[in-house]
Amino acid sequence: MSRKALGFRLSSAHKLQRNWNDWQPRGDSVSAASQDGVKCIATRDLGPAAAAVYDPTAVGVATSDRPVSPPLLQNDAFPDTADTLDEGGGYEAAGGFSDDTFGWKSLGQELRINDATADLTTFQQHGNRALASKDMRKSHDRGMSHSDESRLSNLLRRASREEDRDRRLATVRQLREFITHSDNKVALVKQLDTILSTLNDILNESSKLLSELRQEAAVCLGLLCTALSYETERIFKWMFVKFSSSTRDEVRLLYLVAAYRALEAAGERKAFSPVMQLVMSSLQSILENLDTPELLCQSVRCILQVARCYPHVFSTNFRDTVDILVGWHIDHTQKQSLTQQVSGWLQSLEQFWVADLTFSTTLLGQFLEDMEAYAEDLGHVGSGEAVDEDIPPPTVSLPKLAALLRVFSTVVRCIGQRFNPIRGPPITQAYVSDVLNRVLACVSTAKQVLFSEPVLTAGNECVCVLLVSLEPSAQLTDVVITYGLDQLDACRACGPEYSLAVLSLITLIVDQINTKLPAWFVEKLLAPTSQLLELRFNRDREVMSAALGVYQSVLSLKNIPILEAAYKLVLGEMACALSSLLAPLGLSPTPGTPSPTPPPFPGIQHPVFAPLTLTPERAEFTLIFNLSALTTIGNTKNSLIGMWALSPTVFALLSQNLMLVHSDLAVYHPAVQYAVLYTLYSHCTRHDHFISSSLSSSSPSLFDGAVISTVTTATRKHFSTLLSLLGALLRKEQLYTEARKLLLTWSLEMCLMMKRSDTYTPLFSLPSFHKFCKVTIERVCSTMVNTVEL
């Protein structure tokens, strides 16, 4: 697909015209057809003599002063005037029948044909009784049918003539209920033309105040099509003719609403199968001629409904439908919301994309060729060469390149899980690698010429969808990582949307390459100069959350050397932040100056953060943010890495290295102390406060594995340390109220857990537990006294 072809489709799609004049409503007459039918039946079954009864020109037909009407026709011949008289007192022809309706004569005339019997009176009485006896069983049903027909006439008349808007709306809703009732089909068929005419008049109302009424009429039209399945073809043709002849978009939209309601209500009924090809072809023609997003949305809803319920019908139109939707997708002048909606429509057709994989990959190839063509044009502009008149300027090339990148990502998503080398040709490892390299080259070329946030955002999204399906090789890994870090640096001059796309890309790189990540990537990612650290302070909460996601992905790596490098960088920044908080209090030396005393927070400093000083606000935020990230390691149940492999362990870091009991820290920065406490509480709760491991002996059991016994030995003293720490904190007079509540809640949980099993009984005799209980009781009593005094 060439670039010109795409542009031609966009510029000329709305000019296509379709001749709808070959679809004319059926003009047959019910009464005429019924009359001819009755004549044929009489001639075939009763012979010429009986056929004469139905022939107005027949000779020898006797007359009578008191003709006898057959019971079979009494209700139709003489309808109840209360049901059929209109407001002016006249008889309503649409709702009743006379004695010669359908060409039928009275029974008296029928029984006097050519003096067929000698004893006419006896035969007449006998025939009359027989017909009356047969008809008595059906008289109730015929009465209801006539009543329904009269009610329908009244509803249609009121829907047309009622002037009060609310009453008119209520009438149309009653008509909707009438249509959906299964016993009213006969009445609906008899007055179908009148119903269609009435609904059409309502749909074409010009008043904006009647919008709800017109919507309700469109629903009625759709349900009518479903209720009369044997008239579906006629009604659909009628709707499409009306759509074609209408010049108002709001009216055309209502016809599409009616078509959708008909398709939705019909579902997968087999009775609709014969007409679905007609419907699909008509919808396809409509789609080709649309030029407004509103009509596009409604027509696609109809097409997707056909695709869901009649996939065999839609499959023949799949390529044509995709071609039109792709044209809308790459139209960069449309709103982003519409582009996203078109992308969703295309992705909902995944089964058809997979079934026609040759078409899908061919389309991707055409998009790639167009991308490379635009990138080549940009390269000529960037090189400073004499620009040919045929080469578009960057202001034209860049938006189209971004649109092509977006639609490429959409089609890859449309193919879904089938776009994976594991599933076999034509999607192979070499194919995906080649595509990824070509996309990276296009985006890089565009960035060198002119910085375009839409192009970079679409490019990052495209790289993400390809990276998911790829098993990176060593060479490709370096290319992707370099590209990701380069995009991260570009966040300095971009908005939240671009930053989110970049952070998603970095997270995906970490998750996909995982243990094969080089150490230098982590060092650059978490270094003080990395833009990732700055994005944590973004005012957009989504960006901040995405930055936290990058940290969590890095700290979830199972490669211990790489994880340890990341862990030390995170701790080094925390030490820098704590020093920045304590320095104004005279408790920490100024960074870069010699100090006779040991540096604070031993064991967690990092040389790259040593010369830095943060503002108090940034220092607090950095500490709380990094503590949230560390829960990824600390809250993993029975994590060997978190409890043993890292140095210091998460427990040692939180309970010792961060100086939780520092009085000045609690007074001037209570939020920091509470964050450290809560992180430690979360870590201990996840591991049952290390109560079980505190009962283990110093020598491991013969049945313990080597690693498990090592971890158990390493955590054996955690419970005693925890008791001492809680007791020391509870003694503090100057303690944040929320922190004291957390400590008391924590203490209660541990005591309740110790009571659950007799196995934990020896723990009650620990000296550390006695001290803990004493301090807790003193604190509780002190709190109660203070409360009473207040």
Side-chain angles (χ1 to χ4, degrees):
M1 183 184 298
S2 65
R3 189 177 48 204
K4 293 183 179 179
L6 290 173
F8 177 78
R9 178 172 59 248
L10 287 175
S11 61
S12 61
H14 66 281
K15 298 179 182 179
L16 299 175
Q17 298 295 331
R18 183 61 62 113
N19 183 12
W20 303 89
N21 293 331
D22 56 336
W23 285 347
Q24 298 296 338
R26 207 164 54 188
D28 54 341
S29 173
V30 175
S31 60
S34 301
Q35 181 176 352
D36 293 341
V38 171
K39 287 181 179 180
C40 292
I41 294 172
T43 304
R44 183 187 64 212
D45 297 338
L46 303 180
V53 176
Y54 301 94
D55 188 356
T57 61
V59 295
V61 177
T63 60
S64 173
D65 295 335
R66 299 181 60 188
V68 181
S69 297
L72 182 63
L73 300 177
Q74 283 179 356
N75 287 333
D76 292 337
F78 302 98
D80 187 359
T81 56
D83 292 332
T84 57
L85 290 178
D86 61 13
E87 296 175 356
Y91 179 76
E92 187 169 328
F97 302 88
S98 61
D99 59 350
D100 61 348
T101 303
F102 303 121
W104 290 335
K105 302 289 184 174
S106 68
L107 185 60
Q109 292 173 320
E110 294 174 15
L111 299 179
R112 296 189 178 93
I113 301 174
N114 297 327
D115 296 325
T117 61
D119 193 353
L120 181 61
T121 301
T122 303
F123 181 81
Q124 176 180 345
Q125 293 175 350
H126 176 74
N128 193 32
R129 286 196 302 271
L131 289 174
S133 176
K134 179 179 180 181
D135 186 60
M136 286 177 62
R137 296 190 298 270
K138 301 181 180 179
S139 61
H140 178 70
D141 294 337
R142 287 196 308 277
M144 289 297 293
S145 175
H146 175 69
S147 176
D148 290 341
E149 187 177 346
S150 301
R151 181 181 171 220
L152 176 58
S153 299
N154 291 332
L155 288 174
L156 295 174
R157 182 175 62 253
R158 283 158 49 197
S160 300
R161 300 177 185 176
E162 181 63 63
E163 296 182 356
D164 184 83
R165 184 179 60 183
D166 294 337
R167 291 181 181 177
R168 195 177 182 192
L169 179 61
T171 300
V172 175
R173 287 175 176 167
Q174 292 175 17
L175 177 61
R176 175 181 177 178
E177 295 177 0
F178 187 93
I179 291 172
T180 56
H181 201 285
S182 59
D183 294 337
N184 299 328
K185 291 184 179 181
V186 174
L188 292 173
V189 172
K190 288 182 178 180
Q191 301 201 45
L192 180 57
D193 290 335
T194 305
I195 298 171
L196 294 177
S197 176
T198 301
L199 293 177
N200 185 61
D201 291 341
I202 296 174
L203 294 180
N204 283 273
E205 292 275 2
S206 59
S207 176
K208 294 183 178 179
L209 299 177
L210 300 178
S211 175
E212 188 176 1
L213 174 70
R214 297 165 69 199
Q215 288 285 340
E216 195 69 32
V219 173
C220 288
L221 181 57
L223 295 178
L224 179 68
C225 188
T226 308
L228 305 179
S229 56
Y230 38 85
E231 294 286 354
T232 297
E233 182 177 355
R234 175 187 175 187
I235 299 174
F236 266 124
K237 283 185 177 181
W238 181 89
M239 282 194 290
F240 292 137
V241 168
K242 293 297 182 182
F243 178 94
S244 176
S245 61
S246 178
T247 58
R248 295 165 54 194
D249 284 347
E250 63 270 20
V251 178
R252 301 169 77 196
L253 185 64
L254 291 172
Y255 289 120
L256 290 176
V257 170
Y260 176 76
R261 289 307 299 264
L263 294 170
E264 182 184 44
E268 301 179 14
R269 292 186 186 178
K270 295 182 179 179
F272 277 69
S273 296
V275 77
M276 276 303 109
Q277 189 60 60
L278 164 69
V279 172
M280 185 63 235
S281 300
S282 303
L283 291 173
Q284 185 69 40
S285 299
I286 290 173
L287 185 64
E288 292 171 356
N289 292 274
L290 295 178
D291 54 6
T292 65
E294 293 78 15
L295 290 172
L296 172 72
C297 293
Q298 195 59 49
S299 64
V300 173
R301 287 186 71 198
C302 297
I303 290 174
L304 293 181
Q305 184 65 24
V306 175
R308 280 191 292 269
C309 299
Y310 302 90
H312 61 287
V313 175
F314 173 75
S315 60
T316 58
N317 295 83
F318 168 66
R319 294 190 178 189
D320 293 334
T321 302
V322 165
D323 185 65
I324 297 172
L325 293 181
V326 164
W328 283 90
H329 197 302
I330 64 176
D331 184 1
H332 58 86
T333 63
Q334 299 295 333
K335 293 182 179 180
Q336 184 179 2
S337 57
L338 178 65
T339 302
Q340 292 174 347
Q341 196 166 17
V342 174
S343 177
W345 294 334
L346 290 170
Q347 291 178 56
S348 69
L349 301 174
E350 179 179 343
Q351 60 172 321
F352 302 97
W353 289 100
V354 174
D356 199 353
L357 204 55
T358 301
F359 168 74
S360 305
T361 53
T362 301
L363 199 60
L364 289 176
Q366 292 172 347
F367 293 150
L368 268 176
E369 291 175 2
D370 288 343
M371 278 187 249
E372 291 172 331
Y374 283 118
E376 184 180 356
D377 293 343
L378 290 168
H380 289 310
V381 174
S383 63
E385 301 174 359
V387 180
D388 191 347
E389 293 181 356
D390 294 335
I391 297 179
T395 54
V396 174
S397 299
L398 289 172
K400 292 187 176 181
L401 177 58
L404 286 166
L405 286 165
R406 284 191 293 268
V407 76
F408 188 95
S409 302
T410 292
V411 174
V412 173
R413 290 192 178 101
C414 289
I415 302 175
Q417 295 182 354
R418 182 62 183 84
F419 193 88
N420 195 309
I422 299 176
R423 305 292 294 274
I427 311 299
T428 62
Q429 183 78 8
Y431 171 81
V432 180
S433 299
D434 177 65
V435 169
L436 180 57
N437 280 319
R438 292 167 68 181
V439 169
L440 291 173
C442 290
V443 177
S444 300
T445 301
K447 185 184 176 185
Q448 292 172 3
V449 175
L450 186 64
F451 185 89
S452 172
E453 188 173 333
V455 171
L456 295 179
T457 301
N460 293 337
E461 179 186 2
C462 194
V463 172
C464 284
V465 297
L466 292 172
L467 198 58
V468 170
S469 305
L470 195 61
E471 184 68 28
S473 60
Q475 181 181 1
L476 190 59
T477 295
D478 290 342
V479 173
V480 171
I481 288 175
T482 303
Y483 173 83
L485 292 175
D486 184 53
Q487 297 300 305
L488 185 61
D489 289 337
C491 289
R492 302 176 191 274
C494 295
E497 183 182 1
Y498 176 75
S499 298
L500 284 172
V502 170
L503 291 172
S504 298
L505 172 63
I506 297 297
T507 302
L508 187 63
I509 289 174
V510 174
D511 293 340
Q512 289 297 113
I513 303 178
N514 209 285
T515 57
K516 296 181 181 179
L517 282 169
W520 62 265
F521 169 73
V522 173
E523 292 171 356
K524 284 190 175 183
L525 187 64
L526 302 178
T529 56
S530 173
Q531 189 63 21
L532 173 63
L533 275 62
E534 191 64 29
L535 288 175
R536 298 176 304 179
F537 301 98
N538 196 289
R539 294 182 178 181
D540 193 305
R541 295 185 64 88
E542 291 187 18
V543 174
M544 184 180 65
S545 178
L548 180 61
V550 175
Y551 271 77
Q552 291 171 335
S553 294
V554 172
L555 294 174
S556 299
L557 294 172
K558 297 301 186 287
N559 186 318
I560 293 180
I562 298 176
L563 176 60
E564 191 168 14
Y567 186 63
K568 288 186 179 298
L569 284 166
V570 172
L571 299 192
E573 189 184 27
M574 293 176 70
C576 174
L578 285 168
S579 298
S580 299
L581 292 177
L582 295 177
L585 305 177
L587 301 172
S588 178
T590 303
T593 61
S595 174
T597 59
F601 321 112
I604 63 173
Q605 288 83 9
H606 198 286
V608 298
F609 288 100
L612 300 181
T613 302
L614 305 177
T615 63
E617 294 78 12
R618 286 210 162 200
E620 277 199 5
F621 181 87
T622 298
L623 281 166
I624 296 172
F625 183 93
N626 286 0
L627 286 168
S628 298
L630 286 175
T631 57
T632 304
I633 300 174
N635 287 6
T636 302
K637 186 71 172 177
N638 297 325
S639 171
L640 301 181
I641 293 177
M643 292 190 293
W644 172 68
L646 297 177
S647 177
T649 64
V650 175
F651 183 86
L653 169 71
L654 298 173
S655 61
Q656 301 172 24
N657 298 82
L658 297 183
M659 298 176 62
L660 265 175
V661 294
H662 201 299
S663 301
D664 296 292
L665 186 65
V667 172
Y668 293 100
H669 302 285
V672 173
Q673 187 186 49
Y674 182 82
V676 176
L677 264 178
Y678 190 86
T679 306
L680 179 60
Y681 165 73
S682 178
H683 175 62
C684 293
T685 302
R686 186 64 175 166
H687 297 89
D688 297 329
H689 307 290
F690 302 99
I691 294 176
S692 299
S693 60
S694 64
L695 295 172
S696 61
S697 60
S698 58
S699 58
S701 169
L702 294 176
F703 298 99
D704 290 340
V707 176
I708 296 177
S709 62
T710 303
V711 172
T712 302
T713 303
T715 61
R716 188 175 66 252
K717 296 182 180 181
H718 283 6
F719 182 65
S720 296
T721 303
L722 191 57
L723 292 173
S724 301
L725 179 63
L726 294 182
L729 289 171
L730 286 171
R731 284 195 191 97
K732 299 292 181 181
E733 293 294 336
Q734 296 178 329
L735 191 65
Y736 185 43
T737 303
E738 294 300 322
R740 181 173 283 112
K741 289 181 180 178
L742 176 61
L743 292 172
L744 293 174
T745 301
W746 195 346
S747 302
L748 177 60
E749 288 183 6
M750 286 195 305
C751 293
L752 292 175
M753 185 167 290
M754 291 167 65
K755 288 177 59 178
R756 289 180 184 175
S757 173
D758 295 338
T759 307
Y760 302 143
T761 302
L763 297 177
F764 290 103
S765 60
L766 291 175
S768 56
F769 182 73
H770 291 166
K771 293 180 182 179
F772 164 74
C773 290
K774 182 180 178 181
V775 173
T776 303
I777 293 172
E778 290 175 356
R779 175 52 56 193
V780 172
C781 293
S782 176
T783 303
M784 294 176 64
V785 170
N786 293 335
T787 304
V788 171
E789 289 178 355
L790 292 174

